[in-house]
Amino acid sequence: MSKELHLLAFGNTRSAGPWRHPEADNSTAGVRRRLIKHAQLAEAGTFDALFFADGLNYGPPATWAYKIPEDFEPLTAAAALSSVTDHIGLVVTGSATLQHPFHLARQLLSLDHLSGGRAGWNLVTSFARAAADNFSAQGVVDHDERYAIAEEALDVVRKLWDGWGEDTILEDRAAGVFHDVNTIRAADHHGKYFDVTGPLGASRSAQGQPVIFQAGASTTGRTFAAQHAEVIFTSHGNRGRAQEFYRQIHQEARRLGRAAPPLITPSFRYVIGSTEDEARRAERDEYEYFSPEYQAAWLLEVEVDVVGADLDGPVPASAFPESTQTHQTALAGYRALAAESPTVRDFLYRTVNGWGAGVVGTPERIADELEAWFSDGAADGFVLRDSGLPGQVELFVDQVVPVLRKRGLFRHEYAGTTLRSHLGLEVPARAPSLAEPGVR
């Protein structure tokens, strides 16, 4: 277990519900200002990174009436934020299923250089039909094949990132020679899904290469994550399930021969108040601007259908398919959440945080819960989700972070400048097969 816990925050601005708050500026300029303020607040709190989720589509048509349009593309947003921050990591989602590995490798390594070594890649295997339809795909790829594609895509990306050696750049001005071309290694990859020659026109970054995040939780996905991820983003409704997942990942990583297991950072929603009563009032404010119509429509993307159901009645069994080839983990998570929810409305409110955990309370209570998960072997850190309403991020930075620091659980200042240094990860060595002399 890490000596100190890791804190990341969702970077995306909330696109449904909170925009109705009277203080919300929903103009494009307002969204941009909110994004910058959010990043700078998280950096002031010495968070490890911002985490940008993405779905490569605007969501099911039934959601469109309830969303603001500024659903910014994560890599572009992260690149913009790299110029107004100095330390905080920038983790962006990219699909190994729908986006080409050469393009991903180039974009991510560019972000890593432009940010001074602060980039991370949340590698996803896209399951949504609406996303597939935006990329000329012939429907959604079956679950296990998505991971086979991801395996090869990651191999290609890493080969491309390792194209330059430490001694490749000569910058011999007198001779007019910039590179020792004998040390450049093209990927020269020819596999089942991809043919990529390479190389990229970029050297290794300050942290070697971007940090790999992954969210696999199905049997296939868990094996993939245990083998390849450096950080696992996950969701669990309670500490017991999180502990079991933590144990499984550590066991699988050892079985696969990894020297150190990946860090595990579940999502965690918070609502803060200086007193319990204030926290409950803040939650009531959040509930007032929560949109059950949007949540019901969005769940269609993961094949959960409560559209038109009685909001004050129980969640109907017919809401869930018997099985799925799209997102097995989501289906199981939402089933568990429905079983714990007395009404459809309550179920939909709880899905604002996916099927993850959270707490409503004072700074001390929130710190207690984070510490319990960390100390009990349920998490190495958290990806924090606020309500999207004004003031909550400031309260976490100003009131929860000092409590965690006082308990010796969280840093007082950044010890390094790269995302790897924040996470305590080693700089990866250049792959031996690429470091050996050979034909480009």
Side-chain angles (χ1 to χ4, degrees), residues 226-262:
Q227 182 168 5
H228 297 296
E230 295 172 281
V231 184
I232 295 178
F233 168 61
T234 185
S235 290
H236 299 286
N238 61 59
R239 200 186 317 162
R241 287 200 288 267
Q243 288 172 312
E244 179 59 25
F245 179 82
Y246 195 98
R247 286 192 293 269
Q248 289 173 344
I249 289 295
H250 279 234
Q251 289 171 358
E252 186 69 7
R254 285 194 297 271
R255 185 186 71 79
L256 293 166
R258 289 188 63 165

PDB file of all heavy atoms in Angstrom, residues 226-262:
ATOM      1  N   ALA A 226      -4.754  -5.847 -14.584  1.00  0.00           N
ATOM      2  CA  ALA A 226      -3.712  -6.348 -13.684  1.00  0.00           C
ATOM      3  C   ALA A 226      -2.379  -6.518 -14.407  1.00  0.00           C
ATOM      4  O   ALA A 226      -1.318  -6.406 -13.802  1.00  0.00           O
ATOM      5  CB  ALA A 226      -4.146  -7.679 -13.076  1.00  0.00           C
ATOM      6  N   GLN A 227      -2.436  -6.784 -15.707  1.00  0.00           N
ATOM      7  CA  GLN A 227      -1.213  -6.982 -16.477  1.00  0.00           C
ATOM      8  C   GLN A 227      -0.618  -5.672 -16.978  1.00  0.00           C
ATOM      9  O   GLN A 227       0.602  -5.492 -16.963  1.00  0.00           O
ATOM     10  CB  GLN A 227      -1.476  -7.900 -17.668  1.00  0.00           C
ATOM     11  CG  GLN A 227      -0.225  -8.201 -18.494  1.00  0.00           C
ATOM     12  CD  GLN A 227      -0.448  -9.318 -19.486  1.00  0.00           C
ATOM     13  OE1 GLN A 227      -1.553  -9.824 -19.637  1.00  0.00           O
ATOM     14  NE2 GLN A 227       0.611  -9.722 -20.159  1.00  0.00           N
ATOM     15  N   HIS A 228      -1.468  -4.733 -17.402  1.00  0.00           N
ATOM     16  CA  HIS A 228      -0.966  -3.571 -18.128  1.00  0.00           C
ATOM     17  C   HIS A 228      -1.121  -2.235 -17.416  1.00  0.00           C
ATOM     18  O   HIS A 228      -0.344  -1.314 -17.685  1.00  0.00           O
ATOM     19  CB  HIS A 228      -1.670  -3.472 -19.485  1.00  0.00           C
ATOM     20  CG  HIS A 228      -1.416  -4.630 -20.381  1.00  0.00           C
ATOM     21  ND1 HIS A 228      -0.159  -4.935 -20.877  1.00  0.00           N
ATOM     22  CD2 HIS A 228      -2.263  -5.572 -20.884  1.00  0.00           C
ATOM     23  CE1 HIS A 228      -0.239  -6.009 -21.652  1.00  0.00           C
ATOM     24  NE2 HIS A 228      -1.497  -6.415 -21.672  1.00  0.00           N
ATOM     25  N   ALA A 229      -2.134  -2.071 -16.580  1.00  0.00           N
ATOM     26  CA  ALA A 229      -2.403  -0.754 -16.005  1.00  0.00           C
ATOM     27  C   ALA A 229      -1.367  -0.379 -14.955  1.00  0.00           C
ATOM     28  O   ALA A 229      -0.865  -1.228 -14.218  1.00  0.00           O
ATOM     29  CB  ALA A 229      -3.800  -0.731 -15.386  1.00  0.00           C
ATOM     30  N   GLU A 230      -1.063   0.895 -14.901  1.00  0.00           N
ATOM     31  CA  GLU A 230      -0.265   1.427 -13.799  1.00  0.00           C
ATOM     32  C   GLU A 230      -1.178   1.991 -12.708  1.00  0.00           C
ATOM     33  O   GLU A 230      -0.813   2.030 -11.545  1.00  0.00           O
ATOM     34  CB  GLU A 230       0.700   2.486 -14.320  1.00  0.00           C
ATOM     35  CG  GLU A 230       1.727   1.897 -15.276  1.00  0.00           C
ATOM     36  CD  GLU A 230       2.574   2.954 -15.945  1.00  0.00           C
ATOM     37  OE1 GLU A 230       2.097   3.585 -16.915  1.00  0.00           O
ATOM     38  OE2 GLU A 230       3.726   3.143 -15.497  1.00  0.00           O
ATOM     39  N   VAL A 231      -2.358   2.428 -13.114  1.00  0.00           N
ATOM     40  CA  VAL A 231      -3.399   2.884 -12.194  1.00  0.00           C
ATOM     41  C   VAL A 231      -4.729   2.338 -12.700  1.00  0.00           C
ATOM     42  O   VAL A 231      -5.002   2.390 -13.901  1.00  0.00           O
ATOM     43  CB  VAL A 231      -3.473   4.421 -12.110  1.00  0.00           C
ATOM     44  CG1 VAL A 231      -4.498   4.850 -11.055  1.00  0.00           C
ATOM     45  CG2 VAL A 231      -2.113   5.032 -11.805  1.00  0.00           C
ATOM     46  N   ILE A 232      -5.546   1.817 -11.808  1.00  0.00           N
ATOM     47  CA  ILE A 232      -6.864   1.303 -12.180  1.00  0.00           C
ATOM     48  C   ILE A 232      -7.932   2.237 -11.630  1.00  0.00           C
ATOM     49  O   ILE A 232      -7.986   2.496 -10.427  1.00  0.00           O
ATOM     50  CB  ILE A 232      -7.088  -0.122 -11.657  1.00  0.00           C
ATOM     51  CG1 ILE A 232      -6.116  -1.095 -12.330  1.00  0.00           C
ATOM     52  CG2 ILE A 232      -8.530  -0.573 -11.899  1.00  0.00           C
ATOM     53  CD1 ILE A 232      -6.221  -2.528 -11.837  1.00  0.00           C
ATOM     54  N   PHE A 233      -8.769   2.757 -12.528  1.00  0.00           N
ATOM     55  CA  PHE A 233      -9.939   3.535 -12.138  1.00  0.00           C
ATOM     56  C   PHE A 233     -11.115   2.574 -12.048  1.00  0.00           C
ATOM     57  O   PHE A 233     -11.378   1.814 -12.963  1.00  0.00           O
ATOM     58  CB  PHE A 233     -10.216   4.623 -13.181  1.00  0.00           C
ATOM     59  CG  PHE A 233     -11.562   5.283 -13.029  1.00  0.00           C
ATOM     60  CD1 PHE A 233     -11.878   5.965 -11.871  1.00  0.00           C
ATOM     61  CD2 PHE A 233     -12.499   5.213 -14.035  1.00  0.00           C
ATOM     62  CE1 PHE A 233     -13.120   6.570 -11.716  1.00  0.00           C
ATOM     63  CE2 PHE A 233     -13.747   5.811 -13.902  1.00  0.00           C
ATOM     64  CZ  PHE A 233     -14.054   6.496 -12.738  1.00  0.00           C
ATOM     65  N   THR A 234     -11.821   2.612 -10.931  1.00  0.00           N
ATOM     66  CA  THR A 234     -12.885   1.643 -10.721  1.00  0.00           C
ATOM     67  C   THR A 234     -14.015   2.280  -9.927  1.00  0.00           C
ATOM     68  O   THR A 234     -13.932   3.439  -9.512  1.00  0.00           O
ATOM     69  CB  THR A 234     -12.325   0.399  -9.991  1.00  0.00           C
ATOM     70  OG1 THR A 234     -13.335  -0.590  -9.885  1.00  0.00           O
ATOM     71  CG2 THR A 234     -11.792   0.756  -8.613  1.00  0.00           C
ATOM     72  N   SER A 235     -15.097   1.551  -9.726  1.00  0.00           N
ATOM     73  CA  SER A 235     -16.232   2.014  -8.929  1.00  0.00           C
ATOM     74  C   SER A 235     -16.736   0.864  -8.071  1.00  0.00           C
ATOM     75  O   SER A 235     -16.876  -0.258  -8.573  1.00  0.00           O
ATOM     76  CB  SER A 235     -17.373   2.507  -9.827  1.00  0.00           C
ATOM     77  OG  SER A 235     -17.041   3.713 -10.467  1.00  0.00           O
ATOM     78  N   HIS A 236     -17.001   1.156  -6.805  1.00  0.00           N
ATOM     79  CA  HIS A 236     -17.554   0.149  -5.900  1.00  0.00           C
ATOM     80  C   HIS A 236     -18.514   0.844  -4.952  1.00  0.00           C
ATOM     81  O   HIS A 236     -18.209   1.912  -4.407  1.00  0.00           O
ATOM     82  CB  HIS A 236     -16.455  -0.552  -5.103  1.00  0.00           C
ATOM     83  CG  HIS A 236     -15.478  -1.274  -5.968  1.00  0.00           C
ATOM     84  ND1 HIS A 236     -15.787  -2.455  -6.608  1.00  0.00           N
ATOM     85  CD2 HIS A 236     -14.215  -0.957  -6.335  1.00  0.00           C
ATOM     86  CE1 HIS A 236     -14.746  -2.840  -7.325  1.00  0.00           C
ATOM     87  NE2 HIS A 236     -13.788  -1.949  -7.174  1.00  0.00           N
ATOM     88  N   GLY A 237     -19.669   0.233  -4.737  1.00  0.00           N
ATOM     89  CA  GLY A 237     -20.687   0.840  -3.893  1.00  0.00           C
ATOM     90  C   GLY A 237     -20.383   0.789  -2.419  1.00  0.00           C
ATOM     91  O   GLY A 237     -20.939   1.568  -1.640  1.00  0.00           O
ATOM     92  N   ASN A 238     -19.513  -0.121  -2.001  1.00  0.00           N
ATOM     93  CA  ASN A 238     -19.173  -0.183  -0.578  1.00  0.00           C
ATOM     94  C   ASN A 238     -17.749  -0.692  -0.400  1.00  0.00           C
ATOM     95  O   ASN A 238     -17.126  -1.215  -1.332  1.00  0.00           O
ATOM     96  CB  ASN A 238     -20.165  -1.046   0.203  1.00  0.00           C
ATOM     97  CG  ASN A 238     -20.188  -2.489  -0.289  1.00  0.00           C
ATOM     98  OD1 ASN A 238     -19.170  -3.187  -0.267  1.00  0.00           O
ATOM     99  ND2 ASN A 238     -21.345  -2.942  -0.761  1.00  0.00           N
ATOM    100  N   ARG A 239     -17.249  -0.545   0.809  1.00  0.00           N
ATOM    101  CA  ARG A 239     -15.852  -0.852   1.095  1.00  0.00           C
ATOM    102  C   ARG A 239     -15.558  -2.346   0.957  1.00  0.00           C
ATOM    103  O   ARG A 239     -14.474  -2.746   0.516  1.00  0.00           O
ATOM    104  CB  ARG A 239     -15.487  -0.386   2.499  1.00  0.00           C
ATOM    105  CG  ARG A 239     -13.991  -0.215   2.721  1.00  0.00           C
ATOM    106  CD  ARG A 239     -13.674   0.105   4.166  1.00  0.00           C
ATOM    107  NE  ARG A 239     -14.608   1.075   4.717  1.00  0.00           N
ATOM    108  CZ  ARG A 239     -14.784   1.271   6.020  1.00  0.00           C
ATOM    109  NH1 ARG A 239     -14.101   0.548   6.903  1.00  0.00           N
ATOM    110  NH2 ARG A 239     -15.643   2.171   6.457  1.00  0.00           N
ATOM    111  N   GLY A 240     -16.521  -3.195   1.318  1.00  0.00           N
ATOM    112  CA  GLY A 240     -16.299  -4.636   1.226  1.00  0.00           C
ATOM    113  C   GLY A 240     -16.036  -5.082  -0.197  1.00  0.00           C
ATOM    114  O   GLY A 240     -15.104  -5.865  -0.453  1.00  0.00           O
ATOM    115  N   ARG A 241     -16.850  -4.604  -1.136  1.00  0.00           N
ATOM    116  CA  ARG A 241     -16.628  -4.976  -2.537  1.00  0.00           C
ATOM    117  C   ARG A 241     -15.312  -4.407  -3.048  1.00  0.00           C
ATOM    118  O   ARG A 241     -14.615  -5.042  -3.842  1.00  0.00           O
ATOM    119  CB  ARG A 241     -17.809  -4.492  -3.390  1.00  0.00           C
ATOM    120  CG  ARG A 241     -19.073  -5.303  -3.193  1.00  0.00           C
ATOM    121  CD  ARG A 241     -20.047  -5.146  -4.350  1.00  0.00           C
ATOM    122  NE  ARG A 241     -20.685  -3.844  -4.384  1.00  0.00           N
ATOM    123  CZ  ARG A 241     -21.861  -3.570  -3.805  1.00  0.00           C
ATOM    124  NH1 ARG A 241     -22.498  -4.516  -3.125  1.00  0.00           N
ATOM    125  NH2 ARG A 241     -22.387  -2.368  -3.896  1.00  0.00           N
ATOM    126  N   ALA A 242     -14.967  -3.210  -2.578  1.00  0.00           N
ATOM    127  CA  ALA A 242     -13.699  -2.606  -2.990  1.00  0.00           C
ATOM    128  C   ALA A 242     -12.510  -3.398  -2.472  1.00  0.00           C
ATOM    129  O   ALA A 242     -11.512  -3.591  -3.178  1.00  0.00           O
ATOM    130  CB  ALA A 242     -13.628  -1.161  -2.493  1.00  0.00           C
ATOM    131  N   GLN A 243     -12.601  -3.882  -1.242  1.00  0.00           N
ATOM    132  CA  GLN A 243     -11.510  -4.694  -0.680  1.00  0.00           C
ATOM    133  C   GLN A 243     -11.325  -5.985  -1.467  1.00  0.00           C
ATOM    134  O   GLN A 243     -10.186  -6.404  -1.724  1.00  0.00           O
ATOM    135  CB  GLN A 243     -11.801  -5.018   0.790  1.00  0.00           C
ATOM    136  CG  GLN A 243     -11.662  -3.841   1.727  1.00  0.00           C
ATOM    137  CD  GLN A 243     -12.149  -4.170   3.120  1.00  0.00           C
ATOM    138  OE1 GLN A 243     -13.233  -4.727   3.295  1.00  0.00           O
ATOM    139  NE2 GLN A 243     -11.353  -3.838   4.123  1.00  0.00           N
ATOM    140  N   GLU A 244     -12.424  -6.613  -1.847  1.00  0.00           N
ATOM    141  CA  GLU A 244     -12.334  -7.853  -2.614  1.00  0.00           C
ATOM    142  C   GLU A 244     -11.684  -7.602  -3.969  1.00  0.00           C
ATOM    143  O   GLU A 244     -10.823  -8.368  -4.415  1.00  0.00           O
ATOM    144  CB  GLU A 244     -13.732  -8.464  -2.789  1.00  0.00           C
ATOM    145  CG  GLU A 244     -13.749  -9.752  -3.606  1.00  0.00           C
ATOM    146  CD  GLU A 244     -12.881 -10.860  -3.020  1.00  0.00           C
ATOM    147  OE1 GLU A 244     -12.636 -10.856  -1.793  1.00  0.00           O
ATOM    148  OE2 GLU A 244     -12.438 -11.726  -3.810  1.00  0.00           O
ATOM    149  N   PHE A 245     -12.075  -6.521  -4.636  1.00  0.00           N
ATOM    150  CA  PHE A 245     -11.469  -6.172  -5.917  1.00  0.00           C
ATOM    151  C   PHE A 245      -9.973  -5.894  -5.745  1.00  0.00           C
ATOM    152  O   PHE A 245      -9.144  -6.353  -6.543  1.00  0.00           O
ATOM    153  CB  PHE A 245     -12.176  -4.951  -6.511  1.00  0.00           C
ATOM    154  CG  PHE A 245     -11.618  -4.483  -7.818  1.00  0.00           C
ATOM    155  CD1 PHE A 245     -11.987  -5.102  -9.009  1.00  0.00           C
ATOM    156  CD2 PHE A 245     -10.724  -3.417  -7.878  1.00  0.00           C
ATOM    157  CE1 PHE A 245     -11.467  -4.674 -10.221  1.00  0.00           C
ATOM    158  CE2 PHE A 245     -10.207  -2.979  -9.097  1.00  0.00           C
ATOM    159  CZ  PHE A 245     -10.582  -3.614 -10.270  1.00  0.00           C
ATOM    160  N   TYR A 246      -9.621  -5.174  -4.701  1.00  0.00           N
ATOM    161  CA  TYR A 246      -8.228  -4.844  -4.414  1.00  0.00           C
ATOM    162  C   TYR A 246      -7.408  -6.124  -4.258  1.00  0.00           C
ATOM    163  O   TYR A 246      -6.313  -6.259  -4.832  1.00  0.00           O
ATOM    164  CB  TYR A 246      -8.177  -4.005  -3.143  1.00  0.00           C
ATOM    165  CG  TYR A 246      -6.885  -3.277  -2.864  1.00  0.00           C
ATOM    166  CD1 TYR A 246      -6.734  -1.941  -3.185  1.00  0.00           C
ATOM    167  CD2 TYR A 246      -5.821  -3.927  -2.237  1.00  0.00           C
ATOM    168  CE1 TYR A 246      -5.557  -1.256  -2.904  1.00  0.00           C
ATOM    169  CE2 TYR A 246      -4.637  -3.261  -1.951  1.00  0.00           C
ATOM    170  CZ  TYR A 246      -4.518  -1.917  -2.289  1.00  0.00           C
ATOM    171  OH  TYR A 246      -3.341  -1.250  -2.012  1.00  0.00           O
ATOM    172  N   ARG A 247      -7.936  -7.082  -3.484  1.00  0.00           N
ATOM    173  CA  ARG A 247      -7.233  -8.356  -3.286  1.00  0.00           C
ATOM    174  C   ARG A 247      -7.095  -9.111  -4.608  1.00  0.00           C
ATOM    175  O   ARG A 247      -6.031  -9.680  -4.907  1.00  0.00           O
ATOM    176  CB  ARG A 247      -7.972  -9.219  -2.264  1.00  0.00           C
ATOM    177  CG  ARG A 247      -7.827  -8.751  -0.826  1.00  0.00           C
ATOM    178  CD  ARG A 247      -8.328  -9.822   0.146  1.00  0.00           C
ATOM    179  NE  ARG A 247      -9.771 -10.017   0.023  1.00  0.00           N
ATOM    180  CZ  ARG A 247     -10.675  -9.364   0.740  1.00  0.00           C
ATOM    181  NH1 ARG A 247     -10.288  -8.457   1.618  1.00  0.00           N
ATOM    182  NH2 ARG A 247     -11.967  -9.622   0.584  1.00  0.00           N
ATOM    183  N   GLN A 248      -8.164  -9.133  -5.392  1.00  0.00           N
ATOM    184  CA  GLN A 248      -8.131  -9.856  -6.664  1.00  0.00           C
ATOM    185  C   GLN A 248      -7.072  -9.286  -7.594  1.00  0.00           C
ATOM    186  O   GLN A 248      -6.323 -10.028  -8.244  1.00  0.00           O
ATOM    187  CB  GLN A 248      -9.507  -9.800  -7.324  1.00  0.00           C
ATOM    188  CG  GLN A 248     -10.569 -10.637  -6.642  1.00  0.00           C
ATOM    189  CD  GLN A 248     -11.947 -10.401  -7.233  1.00  0.00           C
ATOM    190  OE1 GLN A 248     -12.181  -9.429  -7.949  1.00  0.00           O
ATOM    191  NE2 GLN A 248     -12.872 -11.314  -6.949  1.00  0.00           N
ATOM    192  N   ILE A 249      -7.001  -7.963  -7.689  1.00  0.00           N
ATOM    193  CA  ILE A 249      -6.025  -7.325  -8.571  1.00  0.00           C
ATOM    194  C   ILE A 249      -4.604  -7.626  -8.107  1.00  0.00           C
ATOM    195  O   ILE A 249      -3.718  -7.960  -8.921  1.00  0.00           O
ATOM    196  CB  ILE A 249      -6.259  -5.806  -8.644  1.00  0.00           C
ATOM    197  CG1 ILE A 249      -7.548  -5.499  -9.430  1.00  0.00           C
ATOM    198  CG2 ILE A 249      -5.063  -5.094  -9.288  1.00  0.00           C
ATOM    199  CD1 ILE A 249      -7.517  -5.883 -10.895  1.00  0.00           C
ATOM    200  N   HIS A 250      -4.365  -7.545  -6.820  1.00  0.00           N
ATOM    201  CA  HIS A 250      -3.019  -7.830  -6.306  1.00  0.00           C
ATOM    202  C   HIS A 250      -2.635  -9.287  -6.563  1.00  0.00           C
ATOM    203  O   HIS A 250      -1.489  -9.572  -6.950  1.00  0.00           O
ATOM    204  CB  HIS A 250      -2.944  -7.494  -4.816  1.00  0.00           C
ATOM    205  CG  HIS A 250      -2.727  -6.040  -4.543  1.00  0.00           C
ATOM    206  ND1 HIS A 250      -1.707  -5.563  -3.763  1.00  0.00           N
ATOM    207  CD2 HIS A 250      -3.393  -4.942  -4.985  1.00  0.00           C
ATOM    208  CE1 HIS A 250      -1.749  -4.245  -3.712  1.00  0.00           C
ATOM    209  NE2 HIS A 250      -2.774  -3.837  -4.441  1.00  0.00           N
ATOM    210  N   GLN A 251      -3.561 -10.200  -6.360  1.00  0.00           N
ATOM    211  CA  GLN A 251      -3.285 -11.614  -6.623  1.00  0.00           C
ATOM    212  C   GLN A 251      -2.999 -11.847  -8.101  1.00  0.00           C
ATOM    213  O   GLN A 251      -2.056 -12.562  -8.466  1.00  0.00           O
ATOM    214  CB  GLN A 251      -4.469 -12.469  -6.174  1.00  0.00           C
ATOM    215  CG  GLN A 251      -4.638 -12.554  -4.667  1.00  0.00           C
ATOM    216  CD  GLN A 251      -5.941 -13.214  -4.257  1.00  0.00           C
ATOM    217  OE1 GLN A 251      -6.756 -13.590  -5.102  1.00  0.00           O
ATOM    218  NE2 GLN A 251      -6.177 -13.339  -2.968  1.00  0.00           N
ATOM    219  N   GLU A 252      -3.806 -11.244  -8.962  1.00  0.00           N
ATOM    220  CA  GLU A 252      -3.630 -11.430 -10.404  1.00  0.00           C
ATOM    221  C   GLU A 252      -2.324 -10.806 -10.877  1.00  0.00           C
ATOM    222  O   GLU A 252      -1.614 -11.386 -11.706  1.00  0.00           O
ATOM    223  CB  GLU A 252      -4.821 -10.814 -11.152  1.00  0.00           C
ATOM    224  CG  GLU A 252      -4.833 -11.061 -12.655  1.00  0.00           C
ATOM    225  CD  GLU A 252      -5.099 -12.510 -13.022  1.00  0.00           C
ATOM    226  OE1 GLU A 252      -5.407 -13.317 -12.112  1.00  0.00           O
ATOM    227  OE2 GLU A 252      -5.015 -12.833 -14.210  1.00  0.00           O
ATOM    228  N   ALA A 253      -1.969  -9.646 -10.338  1.00  0.00           N
ATOM    229  CA  ALA A 253      -0.707  -9.006 -10.720  1.00  0.00           C
ATOM    230  C   ALA A 253       0.486  -9.877 -10.319  1.00  0.00           C
ATOM    231  O   ALA A 253       1.449 -10.016 -11.087  1.00  0.00           O
ATOM    232  CB  ALA A 253      -0.610  -7.624 -10.072  1.00  0.00           C
ATOM    233  N   ARG A 254       0.417 -10.475  -9.124  1.00  0.00           N
ATOM    234  CA  ARG A 254       1.504 -11.379  -8.704  1.00  0.00           C
ATOM    235  C   ARG A 254       1.567 -12.596  -9.616  1.00  0.00           C
ATOM    236  O   ARG A 254       2.654 -13.039 -10.004  1.00  0.00           O
ATOM    237  CB  ARG A 254       1.295 -11.814  -7.252  1.00  0.00           C
ATOM    238  CG  ARG A 254       1.631 -10.757  -6.218  1.00  0.00           C
ATOM    239  CD  ARG A 254       1.730 -11.347  -4.821  1.00  0.00           C
ATOM    240  NE  ARG A 254       0.465 -11.900  -4.366  1.00  0.00           N
ATOM    241  CZ  ARG A 254      -0.461 -11.216  -3.716  1.00  0.00           C
ATOM    242  NH1 ARG A 254      -0.271  -9.930  -3.441  1.00  0.00           N
ATOM    243  NH2 ARG A 254      -1.580 -11.793  -3.320  1.00  0.00           N
ATOM    244  N   ARG A 255       0.394 -13.152  -9.963  1.00  0.00           N
ATOM    245  CA  ARG A 255       0.358 -14.325 -10.842  1.00  0.00           C
ATOM    246  C   ARG A 255       0.980 -14.017 -12.197  1.00  0.00           C
ATOM    247  O   ARG A 255       1.648 -14.882 -12.797  1.00  0.00           O
ATOM    248  CB  ARG A 255      -1.083 -14.792 -11.029  1.00  0.00           C
ATOM    249  CG  ARG A 255      -1.221 -16.091 -11.829  1.00  0.00           C
ATOM    250  CD  ARG A 255      -2.658 -16.432 -12.109  1.00  0.00           C
ATOM    251  NE  ARG A 255      -3.255 -15.546 -13.077  1.00  0.00           N
ATOM    252  CZ  ARG A 255      -3.086 -15.632 -14.402  1.00  0.00           C
ATOM    253  NH1 ARG A 255      -2.308 -16.579 -14.921  1.00  0.00           N
ATOM    254  NH2 ARG A 255      -3.671 -14.789 -15.223  1.00  0.00           N
ATOM    255  N   LEU A 256       0.807 -12.789 -12.655  1.00  0.00           N
ATOM    256  CA  LEU A 256       1.335 -12.379 -13.953  1.00  0.00           C
ATOM    257  C   LEU A 256       2.797 -11.944 -13.878  1.00  0.00           C
ATOM    258  O   LEU A 256       3.386 -11.560 -14.878  1.00  0.00           O
ATOM    259  CB  LEU A 256       0.482 -11.243 -14.523  1.00  0.00           C
ATOM    260  CG  LEU A 256      -0.956 -11.644 -14.908  1.00  0.00           C
ATOM    261  CD1 LEU A 256      -1.806 -10.408 -15.141  1.00  0.00           C
ATOM    262  CD2 LEU A 256      -0.947 -12.538 -16.149  1.00  0.00           C
ATOM    263  N   GLY A 257       3.371 -11.985 -12.686  1.00  0.00           N
ATOM    264  CA  GLY A 257       4.797 -11.702 -12.541  1.00  0.00           C
ATOM    265  C   GLY A 257       5.159 -10.243 -12.388  1.00  0.00           C
ATOM    266  O   GLY A 257       6.333  -9.878 -12.527  1.00  0.00           O
ATOM    267  N   ARG A 258       4.197  -9.393 -12.072  1.00  0.00           N
ATOM    268  CA  ARG A 258       4.521  -7.982 -11.898  1.00  0.00           C
ATOM    269  C   ARG A 258       5.232  -7.757 -10.566  1.00  0.00           C
ATOM    270  O   ARG A 258       4.855  -8.306  -9.524  1.00  0.00           O
ATOM    271  CB  ARG A 258       3.254  -7.134 -11.951  1.00  0.00           C
ATOM    272  CG  ARG A 258       2.664  -7.041 -13.337  1.00  0.00           C
ATOM    273  CD  ARG A 258       1.515  -6.044 -13.414  1.00  0.00           C
ATOM    274  NE  ARG A 258       1.928  -4.674 -13.130  1.00  0.00           N
ATOM    275  CZ  ARG A 258       1.185  -3.612 -13.411  1.00  0.00           C
ATOM    276  NH1 ARG A 258      -0.013  -3.769 -13.985  1.00  0.00           N
ATOM    277  NH2 ARG A 258       1.598  -2.403 -13.125  1.00  0.00           N
ATOM    278  N   ALA A 259       6.253  -6.922 -10.590  1.00  0.00           N
ATOM    279  CA  ALA A 259       7.002  -6.630  -9.375  1.00  0.00           C
ATOM    280  C   ALA A 259       6.178  -5.812  -8.393  1.00  0.00           C
ATOM    281  O   ALA A 259       6.312  -5.954  -7.171  1.00  0.00           O
ATOM    282  CB  ALA A 259       8.291  -5.883  -9.719  1.00  0.00           C
ATOM    283  N   ALA A 260       5.321  -4.942  -8.920  1.00  0.00           N
ATOM    284  CA  ALA A 260       4.454  -4.115  -8.075  1.00  0.00           C
ATOM    285  C   ALA A 260       3.075  -4.060  -8.721  1.00  0.00           C
ATOM    286  O   ALA A 260       2.966  -3.929  -9.944  1.00  0.00           O
ATOM    287  CB  ALA A 260       5.031  -2.716  -7.927  1.00  0.00           C
ATOM    288  N   PRO A 261       2.016  -4.159  -7.937  1.00  0.00           N
ATOM    289  CA  PRO A 261       0.672  -4.105  -8.505  1.00  0.00           C
ATOM    290  C   PRO A 261       0.315  -2.689  -8.926  1.00  0.00           C
ATOM    291  O   PRO A 261       0.944  -1.715  -8.481  1.00  0.00           O
ATOM    292  CB  PRO A 261      -0.213  -4.560  -7.338  1.00  0.00           C
ATOM    293  CG  PRO A 261       0.532  -4.114  -6.126  1.00  0.00           C
ATOM    294  CD  PRO A 261       1.989  -4.288  -6.467  1.00  0.00           C
ATOM    295  N   PRO A 262      -0.699  -2.533  -9.759  1.00  0.00           N
ATOM    296  CA  PRO A 262      -1.159  -1.186 -10.110  1.00  0.00           C
ATOM    297  C   PRO A 262      -1.798  -0.504  -8.908  1.00  0.00           C
ATOM    298  O   PRO A 262      -2.301  -1.164  -7.995  1.00  0.00           O
ATOM    299  CB  PRO A 262      -2.183  -1.436 -11.225  1.00  0.00           C
ATOM    300  CG  PRO A 262      -2.623  -2.841 -11.026  1.00  0.00           C
ATOM    301  CD  PRO A 262      -1.462  -3.579 -10.456  1.00  0.00           C
TER     302      PRO A 262
END
